Amino acid sequence: RQQGICVDTHVHRIANLLGWVRTKTPEETRTALESWLPKKEWPDINVLLVGLGQMQQQSSQQLLERCLAAPRPEEALLLVKRIGLQLRAGRFADLDAAAAKHAGIARLVSK
């Protein structure tokens, strides 16, 4: 049985960028997350946020493709933009094509 949430610098950074917490240290983030996140979610949150952060930094093209294939691509793109993925015109061909077809996606893309 898990006793708490494992929070490293990546989980701390992403939780703050998403607006889930407003903390200055990983320990503060752990305490804040544990105060509202249901215990049944504790075992998975570290893996999910670390994986998201790694994809954002190392596999941004693949992450972008997953966002565009999501049931609500605008919301998915907004999420990855909030954690620092730069949605710039000309950087990803798939994003440019989607922006040309969908005004909501186009609004998320910077020139």
Side-chain angles (χ1 to χ4, degrees), residues 68 73-74 95-109:
L68 292 172
E74 289 176 42
L95 180 61
D96 292 341
K101 294 178 185 175
H102 305 283
I105 293 175
R107 284 190 291 275
L108 296 172
V109 178

Side-chain angles (χ1 to χ4, degrees), residues 51 55 60-73 76-77:
M55 284 195 77
S60 54
Q61 176 66 39
Q62 184 180 10
L63 181 58
L64 179 79
E65 290 169 2
R66 286 184 176 189
C67 289
L68 292 172
R72 297 186 310 225
L77 289 167

Side-chain angles (χ1 to χ4, degrees), residues 44-91:
D44 300 320
I45 195 66
N46 178 279
V47 173
L48 291 171
L49 293 182
V50 168
L52 178 61
Q54 287 174 340
M55 284 195 77
Q56 181 244 334
Q57 292 180 348
Q58 300 168 7
S59 306
S60 54
Q61 176 66 39
Q62 184 180 10
L63 181 58
L64 179 79
E65 290 169 2
R66 286 184 176 189
C67 289
L68 292 172
R72 297 186 310 225
E74 289 176 42
E75 291 178 25
L77 289 167
L78 183 58
L79 175 107
V80 297
K81 186 174 184 175
R82 285 179 67 185
I83 66 164
L85 184 64
Q86 296 179 0
L87 303 178
R88 284 195 316 261
R91 184 170 181 208

Side-chain angles (χ1 to χ4, degrees), residues 1-74:
R1 182 158 143 75
Q2 185 152 352
Q3 298 294 316
I5 299 172
C6 178
V7 175
D8 62 4
T9 58
H10 303 292
V11 173
H12 168 66
R13 179 180 66 86
I14 291 173
N16 274 278
L17 288 170
L18 290 174
W20 291 359
V21 296
R22 292 187 190 277
T23 57
K24 295 188 186 306
T25 68
E27 180 59 24
E28 289 177 4
T29 299
R30 181 191 62 78
T31 302
L33 287 173
E34 288 175 355
S35 75
W36 64 266
L37 190 68
K39 280 191 177 186
K40 69 179 185 164
E41 305 298 339
W42 289 10
D44 300 320
I45 195 66
N46 178 279
V47 173
L48 291 171
L49 293 182
V50 168
L52 178 61
Q54 287 174 340
M55 284 195 77
Q56 181 244 334
Q57 292 180 348
Q58 300 168 7
S59 306
S60 54
Q61 176 66 39
Q62 184 180 10
L63 181 58
L64 179 79
E65 290 169 2
R66 286 184 176 189
C67 289
L68 292 172
R72 297 186 310 225
E74 289 176 42

